[in-house]
Amino acid sequence: METDRRSDLLDKYERVTELPLLVLALLMVPLLLLPFLTDMSSTADTAVESSFWAIWAMFAADLGIRTYLSAQRIRYLITHWYDVLIVVVPFLRP
């Protein structure tokens, strides 16, 4: 019974957040490329960096919520390895 409830909550959550997360993912691309393509002031560089980390935090929170709502959390993380990678990779960049 609890498993069905969690599954329903996870499905609802994923439906509601699908479009906003897609928009954030699309916003992330220029944020990653902008510092390499233009010469920015330190203020603009700070704004881009802050925006990047704010979006990353939203992806990390999303993964945490989806993992919490999952009935089988470890299995969820294994089957959604690409989401885990999205959250972990920024820490691996130089």
Side-chain angles (χ1 to χ4, degrees):
M1 189 73 159
E2 179 67 23
T3 302
D4 292 337
R5 183 175 169 273
R6 281 184 176 272
S7 181
D8 289 343
L9 286 172
L10 180 58
D11 288 342
K12 284 181 184 178
Y13 177 79
E14 287 178 337
R15 277 194 307 272
V16 168
T17 60
E18 183 176 14
L19 183 60
L21 289 174
L22 176 62
V23 170
L24 288 175
L26 293 174
L27 285 173
M28 186 72 92
V29 174
L31 289 176
L32 290 170
L33 295 176
L34 202 57
F36 297 107
L37 300 176
T38 64
D39 187 27
M40 298 188 306
S41 68
S42 66
T43 304
D45 188 49
T46 301
V48 167
E49 188 75 14
S50 297
S51 299
F52 171 82
W53 285 110
I55 292 172
W56 173 86
M58 289 180 215
F59 280 117
D62 172 66
L63 179 61
I65 291 167
R66 287 186 292 130
T67 303
Y68 175 76
L69 292 174
S70 177
Q72 297 176 339
R73 294 177 179 141
I74 298 297
R75 183 172 180 214
Y76 184 85
L77 290 173
I78 291 170
T79 58
H80 292 83
W81 59 269
Y82 46 88
D83 291 327
V84 175
L85 198 62
I86 288 169
V87 171
V88 172
V89 164
F91 286 109
L92 303 177
R93 71 182 184 157

